[in-house]
Amino acid sequence: MFIKRRKRFRRKKVCAFCVDNIKYVDYKDAKTLRGFMTERGKIIPRRISGNCAHHQRQLTLAIKRARNMALLPFTAE
């Protein structure tokens, strides 16, 4: 009595910055950075966003700089 389980095909997530050929993630572009944050203000991890390690590090630094410059909130209101 063996139950066959289907293996799910998961598409490899691609880095949004590599696809658009962006070399540097700018902290002043708050509109782009908001897409990589939750509603509560947390940074979305790499395994969920699909970013490469290089761009995820740049993204994290840019979000933190934007928070200090008051372009992005630290937490939800």
Side-chain angles (χ1 to χ4, degrees):
M1 304 262 294
F2 293 103
I3 299 173
K4 288 188 178 182
R5 294 187 185 190
R6 287 188 176 180
K7 290 185 180 179
R8 292 185 184 182
F9 174 74
R10 293 192 182 171
R11 186 174 302 270
K12 176 81 171 131
K13 294 179 182 176
V14 293
C15 178
F17 298 106
C18 289
V19 170
D20 294 337
N21 202 14
I22 296 174
K23 302 242 186 282
Y24 176 74
V25 181
D26 191 15
Y27 73 94
K28 292 171 279 197
D29 189 8
K31 185 178 177 184
T32 303
L33 297 179
R34 282 183 203 269
F36 294 97
M37 293 175 62
T38 63
E39 302 83 38
R40 302 200 60 186
K42 292 183 174 184
I43 301 171
I44 295 176
R46 179 177 165 235
R47 69 178 183 275
I48 296 172
S49 67
N51 290 331
C52 64
H54 176 72
H55 284 116
Q56 183 68 26
R57 284 192 294 269
Q58 285 186 359
L59 177 72
T60 301
L61 189 65
I63 288 174
K64 289 178 181 179
R65 285 181 178 169
R67 284 175 176 166
N68 284 328
M69 297 292 290
L71 299 173
L72 293 173
F74 279 95
T75 58
E77 279 87 40

